[in-house]
Amino acid sequence: MSRPVKLLLTAGLCLPALMMAGIAIHPGHAQGAEPDDASTRAAKTVQAMMRAEKTILTHGIMPLPIGDNPPPIPAEAIPGAGYIPGIPRLGVPALLETDASLGVSYVFGLRKDGATALPSGLAMASTWNPDLLYKGGVMIGGETRAKGFNVLLAGGVNLMRDPRNGRTFEYFSEDPLLSGVLAGHAIKGVQSNHIISTIKHFALNGQETGRKFADVIISDEAAHESDLLAFKIGMEIGNPGSVMCAYNRVHGEQACASDYLLNKILKQRWGYKGFVMSDWGAVPNLESALKGLDQQSGSQLDPALFFGDKLAAAAQSDPAYAARLDDMNKRILWAIYANGLDKYPVAKGGKIDFQANGEVALETARQGIVLLRNERGVLPLSKSAKSIAVIGGFADSGVLSGAGSSQVQGEGGAAVTIPLSGSSPWAGFLVQAYHRSSPLAAIKAIVPNAQVRFRDSRFIADAVEQAKRAEVAIVFATKWSSEGFDQPDLSLPDGQDALIAAVADANPNTIVVLETGNPIAMPWLEKTAAVVQAWYPGARGGEAIASILFGDTNPSGRLPITFPASVDQLPRPVLDGYNEFEPNFAGDAPYKDAKLVVNYDIEGSNLGYRWNALKGHKALFPFGYGLSYTSFKADGLKTDGNTSSLIVRNTGERTGATVAQLYLVSRSGTALQRLVGFKRVQLAPGQSEKVSLTIDPRLLADWKDGAWSMPAGDYQFAIGDNAETLGTPVKVRLGAKRWKD
């Protein structure tokens, strides 16, 4: 990809907009083969296949001792997410698959190895930095190769329709532009290693409660303007070899057997060339093949192996299945050839530079930490501080990480592991684990002459006493999240809200550092001096937090998700099914006819900040919000509705970074709000920069009758410090347009 194209993409542009500007894009170039060549090779290989070979690539196992009847694990397989044998006679390599978006997953330590953990998806998205997401993708893709895998189940792009979703920490944001651009760059980085990345979970996978039987209701219009647009943008930029379908139902059909999603939208409307792999345990029947599913993953978790002998028999007797089977193979082979898996085979035992990779994780954490509150300029802390009380959050040992299939651990495993308990076969995934990066140690390294005392949070009285004795108190508050489980509300667990309030009453210089996978409520907010949202900050999170606290790093993170003032502001104040069904990691229906309808037509495409704008809600902290140790001013907006420019100035006394945000705020006299452009800008004191953005026309349009439609009228745009702090709108008259995606 040319440097000008790369720069335009990092400014928040999508490929249709670039092509409108006359810039040629060839997404397959970096992945090892021209797409047309990959298609030709795939067709020839299918022609050369014997009948018995045609179902080899269409199903695989989870090579772990999981399930009622775990299959034998071939010697070639590596403990991880999946294994699909190759076809040596035709030079087709096996597919060796591992989770996930945050690094190579730990799988209970069965491989006895570690990997570099990137910060959570929310932390990565808080950087608003596509270039950094690309570097992170390159890094985890390189470690994937080194461990012998050639498929990474990365690319989580689901929009955050509810902040209580247990997988919120894995995903990027509530906005389709921000999520799609960041996911696309991460995928592109992964696949630069000649391995396949997925994009997942397709689609409308917005909660974990009842995740295999929750039935999503949403109009075609709202779906295309929100979740599907995020997928489309991510796919245009990243060109993933595979799409992973979701567990949930959509309009009554399982997503992995949805003709609407997989055939009509993904393959016919969008022309996707790659293959659809199932999520693990998400395949309901053989007919899923006709509905658009190409590969059955982790087949021992499904009711039966549908895509083996059953598929072969159907193909022998039914021309529709025969044609579909050939197409399934072509799509899988296209992904293999387009990404060079055959030309650049993987092997276990590759060298990993954990020091260099740790620096990528560290920089991502630094840029992703969001300063939410800073009264009286209490931060950055002085390095001449004499006494500091550090309280709670296992800060003496490490930093929290999210759980489930995406769990990553470094060499030596976790610093602290707290099991959720239970006898479920999935219990190994469900542990509260802390990376070996101690904030306490990092703080002591920066201020070696200060008296730094640590107290855990078991006894509030003990914490309060130490807070009274110190110049400053730093409370580390944690909230664990996991795949498979949602949360009832936005509170901190284990009495931490009471702890923070008591410490803040004892010391007016109380700083709260939040390690959470979701937005939280803050009943103690006004008592505190500062609040730092560190998310799950990854392998070097402790150092990153200390760097922010003492000003070695100027905070520049911006929220990619709205922090609601209360759950009453949400489209669903009570998460659907949460109080009705028992928690179940697998998400299976508790009885045959269990029903759980999730009506996304309530908010439609108006997620997060858009919902607040529609309803007139004021957030606790709005989308796009974040403070700095310096100050910035953005003005001079000029736009014709296709391109925009503005000037950003550093008006403070420190070097720092900000994010230029451009919003559509009105169309044809009707108020609405949509992020239409963004760019991260680094500036020295007094420095200014002209920021140019190109606006993807889909963000100005509605989806109607199978096409994008822009009404003629006055369109108003505004610069935003965040979604609730907007500059003076600039109006431009635009004509009507209609076009196919």
Side-chain angles (χ1 to χ4, degrees):
M1 180 175 287
S2 70
R3 178 172 172 79
V5 169
K6 182 179 179 182
L7 290 174
L8 286 169
L9 284 173
T10 62
L13 307 187
C14 305
L15 299 191
L18 296 181
M19 291 187 283
M20 288 175 65
I23 300 171
I25 304 296
H26 303 287
H29 287 188
Q31 280 76 53
E34 294 284 354
D36 289 345
D37 178 54
S39 297
T40 301
R41 289 187 63 201
K44 289 181 178 178
T45 300
V46 172
Q47 288 179 344
M49 281 181 171
M50 295 185 291
R51 180 179 295 169
E53 292 172 327
K54 288 193 175 183
T55 55
I56 291 176
L57 299 178
T58 57
H59 64 91
I61 63 168
M62 190 177 194
L64 295 173
I66 289 178
D68 294 333
N69 296 295
I73 298 176
E76 182 188 25
I78 306 171
Y83 170 75
I84 295 91
I87 309 174
R89 183 182 73 85
L90 299 175
V92 178
L95 298 181
L96 301 116
E97 303 170 333
T98 180
D99 288 301
S101 301
L102 311 181
V104 181
S105 64
Y106 196 52
V107 290
F108 331 125
L110 287 176
R111 295 192 305 270
K112 302 187 183 305
D113 67 353
T116 304
L118 285 171
S120 64
L122 269 177
M124 288 191 273
S126 295
T127 71
W128 294 55
N129 188 343
D131 280 341
L132 192 57
L133 270 288
Y134 177 83
K135 290 179 183 177
V138 171
M139 184 273 285
I140 62 173
E143 291 197 3
T144 299
R145 276 196 70 88
K147 293 177 183 296
F149 296 102
N150 55 14
V151 180
L152 186 63
L153 310 179
V157 74
N158 296 93
L159 297 187
M160 297 162 185
R161 288 185 171 267
D162 196 299
R164 297 162 295 188
N165 179 0
R167 297 191 87 163
T168 296
F169 76 93
E170 294 186 46
Y171 301 135
F172 290 120
S173 87
E174 65 193 24
D175 181 79
L177 175 64
L178 181 60
S179 292
V181 169
L182 296 180
H185 282 79
I187 291 165
K188 197 170 185 66
V190 168
Q191 292 193 160
S192 69
N193 293 278
H194 299 293
I195 64 175
I196 291 170
S197 174
T198 67
I199 191 169
K200 64 183 186 183
H201 304 90
F202 195 70
L204 299 157
N205 183 225
Q207 66 178 57
E208 293 298 280
T209 299
R211 59 177 172 167
K212 285 185 183 173
F213 64 100
D215 189 2
V216 170
I217 306 301
I218 190 170
S219 71
D220 193 45
E221 292 77 14
H224 277 84
E225 293 167 17
S226 57
D227 298 69
L228 295 181
L229 181 56
F231 274 93
K232 189 67 162 64
I233 292 170
M235 293 171 70
E236 289 167 348
I237 295 172
N239 196 32
S242 180
V243 171
M244 184 190 294
C245 51
Y247 283 123
N248 54 283
R249 297 172 180 169
V250 178
H251 300 308
E253 287 188 312
Q254 296 293 150
C256 286
S258 171
D259 182 68
Y260 166 71
L261 288 175
L262 306 185
N263 283 332
K264 289 185 171 62
I265 293 175
L266 182 65
K267 295 180 176 180
Q268 296 168 15
R269 187 173 292 161
W270 292 357
Y272 179 59
K273 291 185 177 182
F275 70 101
V276 179
M277 70 165 68
S278 72
D279 206 338
W280 274 234
V283 184
N285 49 43
L286 173 62
E287 289 74 25
S288 302
L290 297 181
K291 298 292 184 67
L293 183 64
D294 299 304
Q295 189 178 77
Q296 182 179 8
S297 309
S299 58
Q300 72 262 40
L301 304 181
D302 289 317
L305 173 55
F306 301 113
F307 285 15
D309 291 345
K310 291 180 173 61
L311 178 59
Q316 277 190 266
S317 61
D318 187 333
Y321 274 102
R324 183 77 258 277
L325 182 55
D326 281 354
D327 182 57
M328 293 159 75
N329 279 287
K330 287 176 185 176
R331 290 176 174 279
I332 298 167
L333 289 165
W334 177 88
I336 290 171
Y337 296 149
N339 289 284
L341 270 64
D342 58 328
K343 295 181 180 179
Y344 302 92
V346 293
K348 290 185 290 186
K351 185 177 180 180
I352 296 175
D353 188 339
F354 284 108
Q355 180 62 36
N357 290 355
E359 290 298 317
V360 176
L362 176 60
E363 183 58 24
T364 304
R366 286 172 177 155
Q367 291 191 24
I369 291 173
V370 184
L371 180 61
L372 296 177
R373 179 176 171 87
N374 193 20
E375 296 300 294
R376 309 184 314 277
V378 68
L379 293 179
L381 294 174
S382 171
K383 293 181 182 179
S384 62
K386 295 294 188 287
S387 59
I388 301 172
V390 177
I391 298 164
F394 292 95
D396 59 333
S397 300
V399 290
L400 186 59
S401 60
S405 59
S406 69
Q407 177 71 68
V408 184
Q409 285 300 339
E411 293 183 296
V416 176
T417 299
I418 305 170
L420 188 65
S421 79
S423 57
S424 162
W426 303 102
F429 279 123
L430 304 177
V431 295
Q432 184 172 311
Y434 289 74
H435 295 305
R436 295 175 178 269
S437 178
S438 164
L440 179 65
I443 289 169
K444 287 182 174 181
I446 292 176
V447 286
N449 297 321
Q451 182 184 72
V452 182
R453 291 182 173 178
F454 175 77
R455 292 293 185 273
D456 61 34
S457 57
R458 290 182 298 162
F459 302 108
I460 291 180
D462 198 5
V464 166
E465 182 60 30
Q466 293 305 316
K468 288 178 179 178
R469 293 169 178 262
E471 294 174 17
V472 62
I474 307 173
V475 182
F476 284 79
T478 63
K479 189 173 187 179
W480 178 77
S481 300
S482 174
E483 172 186 355
F485 304 99
D486 293 321
Q487 300 170 1
D489 55 33
L490 303 176
S491 65
L492 288 170
D494 304 320
Q496 292 178 97
D497 285 325
L499 170 73
I500 294 169
V503 170
D505 283 338
N507 190 322
N509 295 322
T510 294
I511 298 158
V512 179
V513 178
L514 298 168
E515 296 174 26
T516 73
N518 313 66
I520 64 161
M522 303 181 195
W524 35 260
L525 180 63
E526 296 304 318
K527 296 182 177 185
T528 63
V531 179
V532 175
Q533 177 54 263
W535 309 111
Y536 299 151
R540 299 285 297 279
E543 296 98 313
I545 291 168
S547 177
I548 293 286
L549 292 176
F550 287 92
D552 291 340
T553 297
N554 191 345
S556 59
R558 299 293 183 266
L559 292 180
I561 186 171
T562 300
F563 277 48
S566 76
V567 294
D568 292 332
Q569 290 185 340
L570 300 174
R572 284 160 291 279
V574 177
L575 192 142
D576 289 314
Y578 187 88
N579 295 326
E580 183 178 355
F581 297 102
E582 282 294 295
N584 180 333
F585 178 83
D588 295 321
Y591 48 90
K592 182 178 179 181
D593 297 322
K595 303 292 183 185
L596 176 54
V597 175
V598 181
N599 183 9
Y600 286 158
D601 276 332
I602 294 172
E603 72 273 27
S605 62
N606 294 309
L607 282 69
Y609 72 91
R610 296 188 186 186
W611 175 256
N612 281 6
L614 182 69
K615 296 295 182 179
H617 296 322
K618 293 298 180 184
L620 180 64
F621 293 105
F623 175 85
Y625 179 88
L627 301 177
S628 172
Y629 297 152
T630 189
S631 57
F632 298 93
K633 183 179 181 181
D635 56 17
L637 175 61
K638 297 178 181 179
T639 184
D640 61 2
N642 298 307
T643 60
S644 301
S645 66
L646 60 143
I647 304 297
V648 180
R649 297 178 179 85
N650 184 336
T651 57
E653 298 179 353
R654 288 175 176 259
T655 295
T658 188
V659 177
Q661 302 169 41
L662 182 64
Y663 293 89
L664 173 69
V665 296
S666 175
R667 187 183 64 186
S668 300
T670 300
L672 77 167
Q673 193 168 8
R674 296 177 182 177
L675 179 73
V676 297
F678 67 90
K679 185 179 181 182
R680 178 185 165 89
V681 184
Q682 176 91 10
L683 297 171
Q687 185 181 6
S688 64
E689 181 175 323
K690 182 179 180 180
V691 174
S692 297
L693 301 169
T694 298
I695 299 170
D696 188 321
R698 291 173 293 192
L699 299 170
L700 310 182
D702 300 320
W703 181 265
K704 289 186 177 180
D705 302 322
W708 292 103
S709 177
M710 276 179 58
D714 291 331
Y715 289 68
Q716 294 196 66
F717 300 88
I719 301 168
D721 287 340
N722 55 69
E724 290 184 7
T725 305
L726 302 168
T728 303
V730 172
K731 182 169 64 176
V732 60
R733 184 81 178 174
L734 297 176
K737 293 181 184 178
R738 182 176 171 83
W739 70 96
K740 296 283 187 179
D741 201 3

